[in-house]
């Protein structure tokens, strides 16, 4: 609607309610408006209640660009994986954008959420890590990175980074370490972690296969190759049901000797 | 001469048109232990002799990393050098954050030279008492710069600063034409050979007091110190000893023929021709 006048002409009556048709990339909608005095309308509302309409609100600084991340720790390795689809609403923006970022050669950050916030968070972390390396003359250890990430997120407690992070790496003893985060810096070291749009499909699966819950057979330590296969199956599962997960999954295995990466194709639908 | 009357403040000219405070600051650089740099068409190498206050003390670090593509070697007041290094590191990080590319070294160095100059024209400050050799690698290839307290900036193929650095400079002058096509390891060996000329009489170049840094194509700024330096020192010894250096008579005037003494290691005769 280009102007108030054209909008006023377009107002239609539907089911006894006056409404303004709007069109977006996800289809159309009828925004209820009030031109007269009634319970919903305020006398001084210049937009006739449009911004209070349930469908579309005012400007939001956040947008969810989709995707899922998963990290699993082992006795001497950590596996971290994330799909490579970038989306906005029902549209796919790219099938090949990484969600994984190596902070050191022993520590990888996987983030789903709003891509611009994720990128900015990474830039900030990279700078802090460089300063640490300059001052301490060694790269940051994974538990220290974990703490720093938590602090960095809390720093923006009242305008958060819309980033759902998993941190995976090996600690100074060479044992696998995985940390889960929320958007405002609460974190915890956990045996595994999943975040993003497909986390609900992955976490119950991991509970059974990795944490060995609700199983009668003997729990055993899994070698990293087997965990990678489990991760691939998990992402196939999540990709089936979650529209934002698919295209490909990037899997990194971190050991004390360094990082290896593998890309596994998923369904593109 | 009129040195004493006009040397109290940096803002006072001497009748000969000199800023004596600045010159005194440059003296401080000459008192620091030797630091040298050289470059080829692919790499830039820094070498330094680390001094230690006493036998039980550690050796003072002379080579500092600034960013992945840049590092410095210092001679003079270490504390001043660390302040400058902190500033340079900060500038590089900011540039990377804002522009997404590594800081071009030429630009940083001109800013650094200006920073030095400012201290020579302000009443309440003093010049930085440190000379820097800056090795970097950017899209135009490797670079070596030298700064001094006066604010002058020079770019070099090879240079040496600090105590007894003349011997190093002479060696580098002799060999600089071969440097351009030298390999990375050859450059390091040249740096070590030039450095051996800068040791004082009874000292020899060891893995504890020697220090090398390299930056170049496909190589981030890397320090080679301690045990990692030993293979190069061993190679140097095979050639002719870690104290003999080159057969130059062009030594510092204040050194009483320190070059003439053979610096032997474990009784192996240095094979000089």
């Amino acid at each position: 609607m280009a102007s108030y006048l054209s909008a006023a002409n377009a107002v239609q009556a539907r089911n006894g309610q006056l409404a303004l048709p709007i069109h977006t990339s996800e289809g159309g909608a009828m925004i209820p408006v009030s031109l007269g005095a009634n319970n919903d309308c305020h006398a001084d509302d210049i937009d006739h209640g449009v911004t209070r309409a349930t469908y579309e609100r005012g400007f939001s600084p956040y947008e969810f660009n989709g995707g899922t991340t998963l990290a699993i720790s082992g006795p001497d390795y950590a596996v971290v994986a994330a799909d490579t689809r970038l989306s906005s609403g029902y549209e796919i923006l790219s099938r090949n954008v990484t969600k994984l970022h190596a902070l050191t050669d022993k520590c990888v950050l996987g983030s789903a959420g709003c891509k611009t916030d994720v990128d900015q968070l990474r830039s900030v972390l990279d700078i802090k890590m460089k300063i640490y390396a300059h001052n301490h003359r060694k790269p940051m250890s994974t538990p220290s990175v974990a703490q720093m990430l938590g602090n960095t997120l809390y720093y923006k407690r009242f305008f958060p980074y819309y980033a759902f992070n998993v941190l995976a790496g090996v600690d100074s003893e060479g044992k696998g370490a995985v940390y889960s985060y929320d958007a405002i810096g609460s974190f915890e070291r956990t045996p595994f972690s999943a975040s993003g749009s497909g986390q609900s499909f992955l976490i119950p699966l991991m509970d059974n296969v990795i944490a060995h819950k609700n199983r009668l057979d003997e729990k055993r330590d899994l070698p990293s190759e087997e965990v990678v296969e489990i991760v691939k199956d998990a992402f196939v599962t999540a990709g089936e049901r979650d529209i934002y997960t698919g295209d490909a999954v990037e899997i990194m295995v971190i050991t004390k000797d360094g990082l290896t990466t593998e890309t596994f194709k998923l369904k593109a639908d | 001469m009129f040195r004493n009357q006009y040397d109290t403040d940096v803002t006072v000219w001497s009748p000969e048109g000199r800023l004596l405070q600045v010159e005194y600051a440059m003296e401080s650089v000459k008192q620091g232990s030797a630091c040298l740099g050289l470059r080829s068409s692919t790499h830039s190498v820094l070498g330094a002799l680390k001094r230690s206050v006493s036998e039980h003390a550690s050796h003072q670090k002379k080579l500092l990393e600034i960013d992945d593509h840049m590092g410095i070697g210092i001679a003079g007041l270490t504390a001043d050098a660390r302040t400058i290094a902190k500033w340079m590191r900060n500038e590089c990080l900011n540039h990377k954050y804002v522009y997404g590319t590594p800081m071009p070294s030429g630009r940083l160095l001109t800013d650094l030279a200006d920073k030095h100059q400012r201290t020579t024209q302000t009443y309440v400050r003093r010049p930085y008492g440190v000379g820097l050799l800056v090795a970097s690698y950017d899209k135009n290839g490797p670079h070596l710069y030298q700064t001094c307290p006066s604010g002058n900036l020079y770019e070099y193929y090879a240079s040496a600063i600090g105590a007894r650095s003349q011997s190093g400079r002479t060696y580098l002058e002799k060999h600089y034409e071969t440097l351009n096509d030298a390999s990375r390891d050859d450059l390091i060996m040249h740096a070590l050979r030039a450095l051996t000329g800068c040791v004082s009489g009874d000292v020899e170049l060891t893995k504890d007091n020697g220090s090398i840094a390299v930056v170049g194509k496909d190589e981030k700024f890397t320090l080679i110190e301690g045990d990692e330096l030993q293979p190069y020192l061993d190679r140097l010894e095979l050639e002719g000893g870690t104290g003999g250096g080159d057969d130059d008579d062009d030594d510092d005037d204040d050194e009483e023929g320190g070059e003439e003494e053979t610096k032997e290691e474990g009784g192996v005769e240095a094979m000089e021709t």
Side-chain angles (χ1 to χ4, degrees):
Chain A
M1 299 295 149
S3 72
Y4 169 66
L5 289 177
S6 64
N9 287 336
V11 166
Q12 299 161 22
R14 290 281 163 87
N15 303 325
Q17 165 87 298
L18 283 176
L20 200 64
I22 58 145
H23 301 282
T24 69
S25 60
E26 293 170 24
M30 299 294 282
I31 303 266
V33 299
S34 324
L35 294 172
N38 63 32
N39 295 339
D40 292 337
C41 173
H42 295 205
D44 48 0
D45 252 3
I46 53 166
D47 63 356
H48 304 285
V50 169
T51 49
R52 272 185 290 108
T54 48
Y55 181 76
E56 198 159 337
R57 301 236 129 224
F59 170 72
S60 166
Y62 296 118
E63 185 191 33
F64 184 60
N65 294 125
T68 310
T69 59
L70 172 65
I72 299 168
S73 67
D76 59 349
Y77 62 85
V79 175
V80 63
D83 72 322
T84 61
R85 175 177 285 175
L86 186 76
S87 44
S88 170
Y90 288 129
E91 291 169 32
I92 294 180
L93 297 172
S94 170
R95 298 190 190 276
N96 187 216
V97 171
T98 180
K99 292 185 181 62
L100 299 177
H101 181 64
L103 291 170
T104 69
D105 59 356
K106 293 194 171 54
C107 179
V108 175
L109 175 66
S111 321
C114 177
K115 179 131 200 322
T116 182
D117 276 2
V118 165
D119 287 345
Q120 185 70 352
L121 178 63
R122 282 178 194 168
S123 300
V124 166
L125 288 176
D126 280 344
I127 288 178
K128 286 178 153 192
M129 301 200 56
K130 200 90 206 298
I131 294 174
Y132 183 98
H134 277 144
N135 290 333
H136 297 254
R137 284 187 269 134
K138 68 178 182 81
M140 248 175 131
S141 69
T142 303
S144 301
V145 178
Q147 183 66 39
M148 188 184 72
L149 173 55
N151 290 343
T152 308
L153 291 168
Y154 194 83
Y155 198 71
K156 292 223 333 131
R157 171 70 174 77
F158 299 112
F159 185 7
Y161 288 111
Y162 191 157
F164 302 107
N165 301 297
V166 301
L167 189 74
V170 287
D171 64 16
S172 4
E173 295 159 26
K175 293 211 279 270
V178 163
Y179 295 85
S180 327
Y181 290 81
D182 70 1
I184 47 176
S186 167
F187 75 100
E188 186 187 19
R189 186 168 175 174
T190 50
F192 69 87
S193 169
S195 70
S197 55
Q199 70 181 79
S200 318
F201 304 113
L202 296 178
I203 290 176
L205 181 60
M206 295 299 115
D207 275 338
N208 180 270
V209 173
I210 303 291
H212 228 262
K213 298 234 172 91
N214 301 114
R215 287 174 80 126
L216 298 172
D217 56 337
E218 192 77 27
K219 181 166 193 231
R220 60 182 175 91
D221 272 342
L222 300 166
S224 67
E225 294 79 13
E226 208 174 320
V227 170
V228 169
E229 290 307 304
I230 291 170
V231 166
K232 288 177 185 172
D233 284 341
F235 270 87
V236 168
T237 307
E240 276 295 322
R241 290 289 185 170
D242 177 27
I243 57 170
Y244 299 109
T245 302
D247 292 323
V249 54
E250 210 182 339
I251 306 174
M252 281 192 185
V253 182
I254 308 152
T255 60
K256 62 171 174 43
D257 303 317
L259 284 172
T260 54
T261 313
E262 186 187 333
T263 306
F264 176 68
K265 284 199 140 15
L266 298 172
K267 287 204 311 188
D269 67 353
Chain B
M1 255 201 308
F2 298 107
R3 272 176 87 100
N4 292 335
Q5 291 172 274
Y6 305 99
D7 67 357
T8 351
D9 290 323
V10 76
T11 51
V12 175
W13 289 100
S14 83
E16 296 91 35
R18 295 152 64 172
L19 288 170
L20 292 170
Q21 276 294 303
V22 176
E23 291 185 26
Y24 294 164
M26 300 208 275
E27 263 311 304
S28 171
V29 177
K30 292 185 200 155
Q31 298 299 328
S33 69
C35 180
L36 49 82
L38 54 153
R39 72 161 172 98
S40 70
S41 57
T42 55
H43 290 81
S44 197
V45 168
L46 292 173
L49 206 55
K50 295 190 284 192
R51 214 177 249 163
S52 84
V53 163
S54 84
E55 214 179 279
H56 305 286
S58 62
H59 291 83
Q60 180 66 261
K61 260 181 86 68
K62 303 263 291 171
L63 303 180
L64 293 92
E65 181 189 319
I66 300 297
D67 200 349
D68 292 337
H69 65 300
M70 195 188 311
I72 60 174
I74 65 178
L77 260 45
T78 314
D80 281 5
R82 279 163 47 86
T83 310
I84 289 177
K86 269 192 197 166
W87 175 84
M88 289 174 83
R89 285 169 179 168
N90 208 49
E91 291 294 293
C92 285
L93 284 172
N94 275 331
H95 191 276
K96 191 86 143 282
Y97 180 80
V98 173
Y99 300 105
T101 63
M103 175 111 210
S105 51
R107 204 175 300 164
L108 180 64
L109 265 291
T110 49
D111 287 343
L112 178 59
D114 291 347
K115 198 171 152 71
H116 276 104
Q117 190 279 339
R118 240 165 270 135
T119 63
T120 69
Q121 221 174 358
T122 311
Y123 182 65
V124 293
R125 301 195 58 187
R126 62 161 177 82
Y128 290 105
V130 62
L132 304 184
L133 284 175
V134 184
S136 70
Y137 188 87
D138 61 19
K139 59 176 164 54
N140 296 322
H143 297 275
L144 177 71
Y145 301 93
Q146 181 178 325
T147 69
C148 74
S150 59
N152 281 333
L153 175 67
Y154 311 97
E155 187 167 358
Y156 279 98
Y157 289 110
S159 179
I161 55 177
R164 289 177 287 280
S165 57
Q166 183 56 52
S167 160
R169 263 195 296 279
T170 313
Y171 174 93
L172 292 170
E173 267 168 48
K174 234 177 158 189
H175 291 91
Y176 90 93
E177 268 148 358
T178 63
L179 291 180
N180 198 51
D181 300 313
S183 71
R184 174 193 183 273
D185 279 359
D186 282 345
L187 275 184
I188 295 175
M189 293 312 299
H190 275 306
L192 287 172
R193 273 182 233 118
L195 216 46
T196 52
C198 305
V199 298
S200 67
D202 51 352
V203 176
E204 57 180 338
L205 194 60
T206 66
K207 65 180 170 73
D208 294 317
N209 66 8
S211 173
I212 294 282
V214 196
V215 65
K217 193 170 160 48
D218 307 325
E219 184 166 8
K220 289 189 194 177
F221 185 85
T222 315
L223 277 170
I224 306 176
E225 289 180 323
D227 289 333
E228 286 176 3
L229 192 57
Q230 193 57 52
Y232 295 98
L233 292 171
D234 293 340
R235 207 174 123 183
L236 191 67
E237 197 203 319
L238 283 172
E239 291 172 4
T242 51
D246 228 14
D247 222 9
D248 290 318
D249 292 326
D250 308 332
D251 207 349
D252 270 336
D253 291 333
D254 47 4
E255 190 70 359
E256 322 137 336
E259 276 296 294
E260 307 310 311
E261 289 176 48
T262 42
K263 282 102 188 156
E264 298 166 304
E265 194 173 59
V268 172
E269 202 75 75
M271 311 235 287
E272 305 281 276
T273 44

